[in-house]
C-alpha cells in the first residue's frame, strides 16, 4: 500500500462487501461530538467535502478507532511536511 494514499473502506456490516471509501489525507477526526441517532460513543471524520458521523459499540472501541485514524492522518501529514 502506498503510504501517501490513506483510505478507509466501509460497508454496512463486517460481512458485507465494500460500498464506499473515505480519503483520509486531509481529514480531521473528532470524538467529542453530540450524540447522533440516539447513540453514544460518536465520532466524526471531517474531509474537505463531507463529514462522516460514526459510532462505536463502547467507549474503548471508539477511542481505539479515533486513535488509529488520528495516527494515520498524522503520519500522512508528517510525510508531506518533511
Amino acid at each position: 500500500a502506498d503510504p501517501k494514499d490513506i483510505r478507509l473502506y466501509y460497508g454496512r456490516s463486517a460481512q458485507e462487501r465494500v460500498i464506499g471509501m473515505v480519503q483520509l489525507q486531509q481529514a480531521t477526526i473528532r470524538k467529542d461530538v453530540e450524540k447522533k441517532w440516539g447513540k453514544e460513543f460518536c465520532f466524526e471524520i471531517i474531509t474537505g467535502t463531507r463529514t462522516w458521523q460514526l459510532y462505536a459499540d463502547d467507549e474503548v472501541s471508539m477511542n481505539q478507532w479515533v486513535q488509529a485514524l488520528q495516527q494515520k492522518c498524522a503520519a500522512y501529514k508528517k510525510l508531506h511536511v518533511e
Side-chain angles (χ1 to χ4, degrees):
D2 184 351
K4 297 175 284 191
D5 186 23
I6 53 174
R7 300 173 186 178
L8 174 66
Y9 295 93
Y10 64 90
R12 295 199 192 290
S13 71
Q15 293 75 31
E16 251 187 64
R17 65 178 177 81
V18 171
I19 59 172
M21 180 243 331
V22 181
Q23 292 278 6
L24 296 174
Q25 283 87 334
Q26 303 299 324
T28 300
I29 314 301
R30 288 186 351 173
K31 75 173 182 177
D32 295 320
V33 298
E34 74 177 67
K35 292 181 185 180
K36 305 288 181 184
W37 320 288
K39 303 280 185 180
E40 293 190 58
F41 317 117
C42 298
F43 60 101
E44 293 179 330
I45 301 172
I46 304 163
T47 68
T49 58
R50 184 171 176 183
T51 298
W52 301 83
Q53 299 166 338
L54 302 106
Y55 65 91
D57 292 331
D58 55 53
E59 187 173 12
V60 171
S61 295
M62 177 190 68
N63 288 332
Q64 289 172 334
W65 269 104
V66 169
Q67 182 180 15
L69 291 166
Q70 287 174 336
Q71 286 174 346
K72 284 287 187 186
C73 292
Y76 172 83
K77 290 172 184 170
K78 182 178 180 181
L79 204 111
H80 285 76
V81 171
E82 297 177 349

